[in-house]
Amino acid sequence: MGKRTIESEVKLFNRPKMEKPLLIEGLPGIGYVGKLAAEHLIEEFEAEKFGEINSPFFPHHVSIDSGILRPAKNEFYLADLEGKDVIILVGDVQATSSEGHYELANKVLDTAESFDVSRIFTLGGYATGQYSKSQPKVFGVVNHPELLEEYGSDGLVIREGTGPIIGISGLLLGLGSLRGINGVCLLGETHGMLVDHRSARSVLEALSSMLGFKVDLSKLEEHAKKTESILRRMRKVEKLRKRRKEREEEVSYIG
Amino acid sequence: MGKRTIESEVKLFNRPKMEKPLLIEGLPGIGYVGKLAAEHLIEEFEAEKFGEINSPFFPHHVSIDSGILRPAKNEFYLADLEGKDVIILVGDVQATSSEGHYELANKVLDTAESFDVSRIFTLGGYATGQYSKSQPKVFGVVNHPELLEEYGSDGLVIREGTGPIIGISGLLLGLGSLRGINGVCLLGETHGMLVDHRSARSVLEALSSMLGFKVDLSKLEEHAKKTESILRRMRKVEKLRKRRKEREEEVSYIG
Amino acid sequence: MGKRTIESEVKLFNRPKMEKPLLIEGLPGIGYVGKLAAEHLIEEFEAEKFGEINSPFFPHHVSIDSGILRPAKNEFYLADLEGKDVIILVGDVQATSSEGHYELANKVLDTAESFDVSRIFTLGGYATGQYSKSQPKVFGVVNHPELLEEYGSDGLVIREGTGPIIGISGLLLGLGSLRGINGVCLLGETHGMLVDHRSARSVLEALSSMLGFKVDLSKLEEHAKKTESILRRMRKVEKLRKRRKEREEEVSYIG
Amino acid sequence: MGKRTIESEVKLFNRPKMEKPLLIEGLPGIGYVGKLAAEHLIEEFEAEKFGEINSPFFPHHVSIDSGILRPAKNEFYLADLEGKDVIILVGDVQATSSEGHYELANKVLDTAESFDVSRIFTLGGYATGQYSKSQPKVFGVVNHPELLEEYGSDGLVIREGTGPIIGISGLLLGLGSLRGINGVCLLGETHGMLVDHRSARSVLEALSSMLGFKVDLSKLEEHAKKTESILRRMRKVEKLRKRRKEREEEVSYIG
């Protein structure tokens, strides 16, 4: 019962061998774009979990799934992307306070540095209030001018203007730059109020083109189509409801 | 006047002997269901207080009762439930911040582990917006798949779907699972805006069936009936008030 | 530029000799009742400042008076109340967070204990939404049953019912009781939205009767009368404004 | 992966030689007055950056400019103001919590003291809800009565009345006074909702008169004129829009 510091805890189950890995972050955020994209990579490349983070800076709740309760976590996976070692960071929450965000981002960077991380890619969404059925655009920002040249030829659309990026996707790159770790933040256009698999697909297309790997995106496309069919049905029901109401009003006028 | 760390303090008045005790938590939450249930156990089994927690993460107020002021506390009791040693955690508050919730839950687990705790039961309410006069349902969630089998035969209704459990009832089990301590959270259906002794009774029925002990629940039932009689009277008064108003309006129309 | 802990700092300019002093607290709160009462004691008994508290838990602003800026502070004074040594705690702020409230209350208690404090009196207001022109009532609560008997004969009206006391007035006594320091909280009835010298006068009358000292309260009474005369004038102006408006409307009807 | 304390970090790239420097603070606040003024000094006197502050108490976002992301920072510059060594503190954010404000202000003071700082000038805005096209007034407050005499002859208009100054401009002087460092806070009148180069110009005029240096303020004046021309155009457009609407309504009446 000694003193317990209020501090996030990184637990590595093992220290897998990797060579100058990339770090890809996909924690929950706008439209769940980053989370969906990162989880898709984990599934497609059969990444293996090698560690997790528990933190007093997470929200004070637990999640339930089919009667099983589990604490909030962030998790580290290792994937082999066609010869490239990639650490993937996923999870069900971000920190609740500014202090917590900084502490967690620094713990993640500590861990990544201990594996000699070579570059960081953070994935997220960019709320537009509109749902794109075709091909959501992907914007990029980098944390070092060098990368603008390096990735410019990959058709990366650089986000114009100024403005903040909130949360871990921005902080990992901001604090990373203070440690000399370069990286890119890829933001997929998304509605903002809908879980958006299509935007996640766009983000992974941009990422795979930048990193030169291939990935089957059909499952994300399927999910996107399901979402759209649900949306269509909801709109149809709404339309019918309106029309019926109008007819009823006509009838009552006639009567 | 040395440095005082901002940290919860667990004070044990003595270290009673117990064998692989259970931990039952009933701190104030939705409908006060967990608190009422745990306090009922303390009363019925004449549990003895052996420790308390003071914490800077509690709200910054004190409570008054009959002119006596007392600081916010969480308290540890030891009960003998027909041969089973049970630590019961009760109190008048929960923490105010996420960090505080995590710190307190970990201190409670530290204490429970120091007594070689074997299993955790956390008791709480589940808001439905409706008051059940007959038999409020009790849902359960567990923090390890093993327990689903073990308690399935006790008629435990597992909570379907997903969703968070907020506060210490969830955290004790979530953080407990990280330490290898298994446990169950029992949530009684309750209105949410009313203190609900009947839901507490249901929760204790479920608990006693799972643990195989008997407990007299008549006092909880009495309290529930009192609450209901008060509610009935309030509704009657409201009805009379309405009817009188309608009559007055009739009279004024006639006049 | 070493590490700076986030911690309140108690600075004692000297350690005056005192014998089993009382601690009287009057920090700003409802109606400024406690602050006005404590500052009145400082003035009437020519108390001397012997220490102050600076804290990162205070609000992040400074106050200005006649062009001079000063940091937020709590201050310790020593008064001689007809032979009784009394530490008086005053200041311009309370803490902003729960953690800060607990930390500060504990620092104050550390300091008081280092002088062998014998009893604590905390002074405050009790909001009723009404301004009393005659004699605001004073309620008391104690942190130990013994004191109910001891002070009952002084005509102390014990606050009935339950309910919290928020802030340092409650915490000093609540945390004090954990250290075995007894004390009383005196709450003067007050409007809640007005600075109330009359309620402060009532509180000091109760305190002086309990402690058996005499204090000239005429300055508080003068201030109270000034406030009332301002209130009267404001009401008169408001009445005139209304009447004039009514006449104008009459005139325009005639026209 | 050792323990990482939640603490601001001051990084000095080098320790430039300076003699009893002044500290001038211009972090973002009301009307960006202080920031604009301090950045103007940096530009006009070709100040050199010699350090920066990273802090977990900053907001948890990063800023983007032309596709490059950078973490929130406060920065130290050294300027030679006609023979006077001046440390200038600028940046894009202030802390998010009270605790953070105190910690950062103390770190800045630690740094300034390590260079034997002789006096502090903090620059800011004072919201009036009105935009002044001619010459915004500048008010001053000091943290020691001595300074009232010293600067009174410079035509410093001392801010009358009482009231708080929120944020680092106040805290640096308040906490500075506890360390025996004297200083002045200069507040330029400003609208409050507009970036105000003209108020920044006024503040620098007051500062240069107090410190006896000359500075070309034409760039601030140019910016102020641009802002005003934009405001004029916006008002004209609004007027035209209104008039057109009125005419349309006339037409429809005629019809």
Side-chain angles (χ1 to χ4, degrees):
Chain A
M1 270 183 288
K3 191 183 147 187
R4 181 172 293 275
T5 310
I6 293 186
E7 188 186 1
S8 303
E9 192 186 359
V10 176
K11 280 189 289 193
L12 300 186
F13 310 141
N14 51 70
R15 292 195 60 87
K17 275 189 193 155
M18 32 185 139
E19 212 174 321
K20 294 197 162 290
L22 308 176
L23 170 65
I24 295 179
E25 172 269 332
L27 289 169
I30 297 169
Y32 273 44
V33 174
K35 181 177 162 76
L36 294 172
E39 285 177 350
H40 186 75
L41 288 180
I42 287 172
E43 201 183 330
E44 292 294 323
F45 289 94
E46 292 171 359
E48 284 194 35
K49 185 172 160 182
F50 68 95
E52 66 186 36
I53 308 182
N54 306 115
S55 173
F57 299 110
F58 288 156
H60 57 287
H61 61 63
V62 294
S63 55
I64 310 294
D65 196 358
S66 314
I68 310 287
L69 168 164
R70 37 163 294 178
K73 280 180 194 172
N74 283 189
E75 297 172 317
F76 290 108
Y77 283 82
L78 177 60
D80 175 357
L81 263 70
E82 299 175 1
K84 265 193 197 68
D85 287 330
V86 177
I87 299 171
I88 303 178
L89 175 68
V90 289
D92 32 25
V93 289
Q94 290 200 27
T96 56
S97 65
S98 282
E99 288 90 335
H101 265 95
Y102 276 90
E103 200 250 13
L104 273 157
N106 272 314
K107 292 270 183 182
V108 169
L109 290 171
D110 288 347
T111 307
E113 272 194 318
S114 81
F115 287 107
D116 203 14
V117 67
S118 59
R119 195 155 285 183
I120 301 171
F121 291 84
T122 65
L123 313 181
Y126 183 81
T128 61
Q130 293 190 316
Y131 184 80
S132 163
K133 272 197 286 191
S134 49
Q135 179 75 3
K137 274 191 207 124
V138 176
F139 299 100
V141 287
V142 299
N143 72 352
H144 198 286
E146 276 177 21
L147 299 182
L148 280 184
E149 295 167 36
E150 186 175 343
Y151 292 119
S153 57
D154 291 308
L156 180 69
V157 181
I158 293 304
R159 186 171 145 198
E160 295 296 325
T162 61
I165 296 180
I166 295 167
I168 191 138
S169 291
L171 279 190
L172 281 179
L173 293 175
L175 299 175
S177 76
L178 298 176
R179 300 175 183 223
I181 312 172
N182 290 347
V184 181
C185 175
L186 294 175
L187 299 168
E189 270 193 339
T190 186
H191 181 281
M193 304 297 284
L194 297 165
V195 172
D196 192 346
H197 293 81
R198 181 150 290 144
S199 182
R201 200 202 59 187
S202 283
V203 164
L204 285 185
E205 278 171 358
L207 183 71
S208 61
S209 136
M210 288 170 84
L211 295 180
F213 68 88
K214 276 179 190 160
V215 57
D216 182 352
L217 299 169
S218 51
K219 279 186 193 156
L220 286 175
E221 185 55 31
E222 275 170 42
H223 270 291
K225 282 191 174 137
K226 261 189 222 162
T227 304
E228 281 150 24
S229 112
I230 292 170
L231 282 177
R232 260 199 310 276
R233 221 174 313 139
M234 283 171 64
R235 284 206 202 99
K236 209 177 279 179
V237 168
E238 178 60 15
K239 231 177 175 172
L240 281 173
R241 212 188 48 75
K242 263 197 186 167
R243 207 172 297 171
R244 202 175 311 132
K245 218 188 144 199
E246 286 168 8
R247 271 194 218 139
E248 282 170 8
E249 289 176 354
E250 283 172 30
V251 171
S252 64
Y253 284 148
I254 295 177
Chain B
M1 271 182 288
K3 192 183 148 186
R4 181 173 293 275
T5 311
I6 293 186
E7 188 186 1
S8 303
E9 192 186 359
V10 176
K11 281 189 289 193
L12 300 185
F13 310 142
N14 51 70
R15 291 195 61 86
K17 275 189 193 156
M18 33 185 139
E19 212 174 321
K20 293 198 163 290
L22 308 176
L23 170 65
I24 296 180
E25 172 270 332
L27 289 169
I30 297 169
Y32 273 43
V33 174
K35 181 178 162 78
L36 294 172
E39 285 177 350
H40 186 75
L41 288 180
I42 287 171
E43 201 183 330
E44 292 294 324
F45 289 93
E46 292 171 0
E48 284 194 36
K49 185 171 161 182
F50 68 96
E52 66 185 37
I53 309 182
N54 306 115
S55 173
F57 299 110
F58 288 156
H60 56 287
H61 61 64
V62 294
S63 55
I64 310 295
D65 196 358
S66 314
I68 310 288
L69 167 165
R70 36 163 295 177
K73 280 180 195 174
N74 283 189
E75 298 172 317
F76 290 108
Y77 283 82
L78 177 61
D80 175 357
L81 263 71
E82 299 175 1
K84 266 193 197 70
D85 287 330
V86 177
I87 300 171
I88 303 178
L89 175 68
V90 289
D92 32 24
V93 289
Q94 289 200 27
T96 56
S97 65
S98 282
E99 287 90 335
H101 265 96
Y102 276 90
E103 200 250 12
L104 273 157
N106 272 314
K107 293 269 183 181
V108 169
L109 290 171
D110 288 347
T111 307
E113 272 194 317
S114 81
F115 287 106
D116 203 14
V117 67
S118 58
R119 195 154 285 183
I120 301 171
F121 291 83
T122 65
L123 313 180
Y126 183 81
T128 61
Q130 292 190 317
Y131 183 80
S132 163
K133 271 196 285 191
S134 48
Q135 178 76 4
K137 274 191 208 125
V138 176
F139 299 99
V141 287
V142 299
N143 73 352
H144 198 286
E146 276 177 21
L147 300 181
L148 280 184
E149 296 167 36
E150 186 175 344
Y151 292 119
S153 57
D154 291 308
L156 180 69
V157 182
I158 293 303
R159 186 171 144 197
E160 294 296 324
T162 61
I165 296 180
I166 295 167
I168 191 139
S169 291
L171 279 190
L172 280 179
L173 294 175
L175 299 176
S177 77
L178 298 176
R179 300 175 182 223
I181 312 172
N182 290 347
V184 181
C185 175
L186 294 175
L187 299 168
E189 271 193 339
T190 186
H191 181 281
M193 304 298 285
L194 297 165
V195 172
D196 192 346
H197 293 81
R198 180 151 290 143
S199 182
R201 200 202 59 187
S202 283
V203 164
L204 284 185
E205 278 171 357
L207 183 71
S208 61
S209 137
M210 288 171 84
L211 295 180
F213 68 89
K214 276 179 190 161
V215 57
D216 183 353
L217 299 169
S218 51
K219 279 187 193 156
L220 286 175
E221 185 55 31
E222 276 170 42
H223 270 291
K225 283 192 174 134
K226 262 189 221 160
T227 303
E228 282 150 24
S229 112
I230 292 169
L231 282 177
R232 260 199 309 276
R233 220 174 315 139
M234 282 170 64
R235 284 206 203 100
K236 209 177 279 180
V237 168
E238 178 60 14
K239 232 177 175 171
L240 282 173
R241 212 188 49 75
K242 262 196 188 167
R243 208 172 295 171
R244 202 175 313 133
K245 217 188 144 199
E246 285 169 8
R247 273 196 217 137
E248 283 171 8
E249 289 175 354
E250 284 172 29
V251 171
S252 64
Y253 285 147
I254 295 176
Chain C
M1 271 183 287
K3 192 183 147 186
R4 180 172 293 275
T5 311
I6 292 186
E7 189 186 1
S8 302
E9 193 187 358
V10 176
K11 280 189 289 192
L12 300 185
F13 309 142
N14 51 71
R15 291 194 60 86
K17 274 189 194 157
M18 32 185 140
E19 211 174 321
K20 293 197 163 291
L22 308 176
L23 170 65
I24 295 179
E25 171 270 332
L27 288 169
I30 297 169
Y32 273 44
V33 174
K35 181 178 162 76
L36 294 172
E39 285 177 350
H40 186 75
L41 289 180
I42 287 171
E43 201 182 330
E44 292 294 324
F45 289 93
E46 292 172 0
E48 283 194 36
K49 185 171 161 183
F50 67 95
E52 65 185 37
I53 308 182
N54 306 115
S55 173
F57 299 110
F58 288 156
H60 56 288
H61 61 64
V62 294
S63 56
I64 310 295
D65 196 358
S66 314
I68 310 287
L69 167 164
R70 37 163 294 177
K73 280 181 195 172
N74 283 189
E75 297 172 317
F76 290 108
Y77 283 82
L78 177 60
D80 175 357
L81 262 71
E82 299 174 2
K84 266 194 198 68
D85 287 329
V86 177
I87 300 171
I88 303 177
L89 175 68
V90 289
D92 32 24
V93 289
Q94 290 200 27
T96 56
S97 65
S98 282
E99 288 90 335
H101 265 95
Y102 276 90
E103 200 250 11
L104 273 158
N106 272 314
K107 293 270 183 181
V108 169
L109 290 171
D110 288 347
T111 307
E113 272 195 317
S114 81
F115 287 106
D116 203 14
V117 67
S118 58
R119 195 155 285 183
I120 301 171
F121 291 83
T122 65
L123 313 181
Y126 183 81
T128 61
Q130 292 189 317
Y131 183 80
S132 163
K133 271 197 285 190
S134 48
Q135 179 76 3
K137 274 191 208 123
V138 176
F139 299 100
V141 287
V142 299
N143 72 352
H144 198 286
E146 276 177 20
L147 300 182
L148 280 184
E149 296 167 36
E150 185 175 345
Y151 292 119
S153 57
D154 292 308
L156 180 69
V157 181
I158 293 303
R159 187 172 143 196
E160 295 296 325
T162 60
I165 296 180
I166 295 167
I168 191 139
S169 291
L171 279 190
L172 281 179
L173 293 175
L175 300 176
S177 77
L178 298 176
R179 300 175 182 223
I181 312 172
N182 290 347
V184 181
C185 175
L186 294 175
L187 299 168
E189 271 193 340
T190 186
H191 181 282
M193 304 298 285
L194 296 166
V195 172
D196 192 346
H197 292 81
R198 180 151 288 144
S199 182
R201 200 203 59 187
S202 283
V203 164
L204 285 185
E205 278 170 358
L207 183 71
S208 60
S209 137
M210 289 170 83
L211 295 180
F213 68 89
K214 276 180 191 159
V215 57
D216 182 351
L217 299 169
S218 51
K219 278 186 194 157
L220 286 175
E221 185 55 31
E222 275 169 43
H223 270 291
K225 283 192 174 135
K226 261 188 221 161
T227 303
E228 282 150 24
S229 112
I230 292 170
L231 282 176
R232 261 199 310 275
R233 220 175 314 140
M234 282 170 65
R235 284 205 203 100
K236 209 177 280 180
V237 168
E238 178 60 14
K239 232 178 175 172
L240 281 174
R241 212 188 49 75
K242 263 197 187 166
R243 208 173 296 171
R244 201 174 313 133
K245 218 188 144 200
E246 286 168 9
R247 271 195 219 140
E248 283 171 8
E249 288 175 356
E250 284 172 30
V251 171
S252 64
Y253 284 147
I254 295 177
Chain D
M1 270 182 288
K3 192 183 148 186
R4 181 172 293 275
T5 311
I6 293 186
E7 188 187 2
S8 303
E9 193 186 358
V10 176
K11 280 189 289 193
L12 300 186
F13 310 141
N14 51 70
R15 291 195 60 86
K17 275 189 193 155
M18 33 185 139
E19 212 174 321
K20 294 197 162 291
L22 308 176
L23 170 65
I24 295 179
E25 172 270 332
L27 288 169
I30 297 169
Y32 273 45
V33 174
K35 182 178 162 76
L36 294 172
E39 285 177 349
H40 186 75
L41 288 180
I42 287 172
E43 201 183 330
E44 292 294 324
F45 289 93
E46 292 171 359
E48 283 194 36
K49 185 171 162 184
F50 68 95
E52 66 186 35
I53 308 182
N54 306 115
S55 173
F57 299 109
F58 288 155
H60 56 288
H61 61 63
V62 294
S63 56
I64 310 294
D65 196 358
S66 314
I68 310 287
L69 168 165
R70 37 163 294 177
K73 280 180 195 174
N74 283 189
E75 297 172 317
F76 290 109
Y77 283 82
L78 177 60
D80 175 357
L81 262 71
E82 299 175 1
K84 267 193 197 68
D85 287 330
V86 177
I87 300 172
I88 303 177
L89 175 68
V90 289
D92 32 24
V93 289
Q94 290 200 27
T96 56
S97 65
S98 282
E99 288 90 335
H101 265 95
Y102 276 90
E103 200 250 12
L104 273 157
N106 272 315
K107 293 270 183 181
V108 169
L109 290 172
D110 288 346
T111 307
E113 272 194 317
S114 81
F115 287 107
D116 203 14
V117 67
S118 58
R119 195 155 285 183
I120 301 171
F121 291 83
T122 65
L123 313 181
Y126 183 81
T128 61
Q130 292 189 317
Y131 183 80
S132 163
K133 271 197 286 191
S134 48
Q135 179 76 2
K137 274 191 208 123
V138 176
F139 299 100
V141 287
V142 299
N143 72 352
H144 198 286
E146 276 177 20
L147 300 182
L148 280 184
E149 295 167 37
E150 185 175 344
Y151 292 119
S153 57
D154 292 308
L156 181 69
V157 181
I158 292 303
R159 187 172 144 197
E160 294 296 325
T162 61
I165 296 180
I166 296 167
I168 192 139
S169 291
L171 279 189
L172 280 179
L173 294 175
L175 300 176
S177 76
L178 298 176
R179 301 176 182 221
I181 312 172
N182 290 347
V184 181
C185 175
L186 294 175
L187 299 168
E189 270 194 339
T190 186
H191 181 281
M193 304 298 284
L194 297 165
V195 172
D196 192 346
H197 293 81
R198 180 151 290 144
S199 182
R201 200 203 58 187
S202 283
V203 164
L204 284 185
E205 278 170 358
L207 183 71
S208 61
S209 137
M210 288 170 84
L211 295 180
F213 68 88
K214 276 180 190 158
V215 56
D216 182 353
L217 299 169
S218 51
K219 279 187 193 155
L220 287 175
E221 185 55 31
E222 275 170 42
H223 270 291
K225 284 193 173 135
K226 261 188 220 161
T227 303
E228 282 149 24
S229 111
I230 292 170
L231 282 176
R232 260 199 309 275
R233 219 174 315 139
M234 282 170 65
R235 284 205 203 102
K236 209 177 279 180
V237 168
E238 179 60 15
K239 231 177 175 174
L240 281 173
R241 212 188 49 74
K242 264 197 187 166
R243 207 174 295 171
R244 201 175 312 132
K245 218 187 144 200
E246 286 169 8
R247 271 196 218 137
E248 282 170 8
E249 289 175 355
E250 284 173 30
V251 171
S252 64
Y253 284 147
I254 295 176

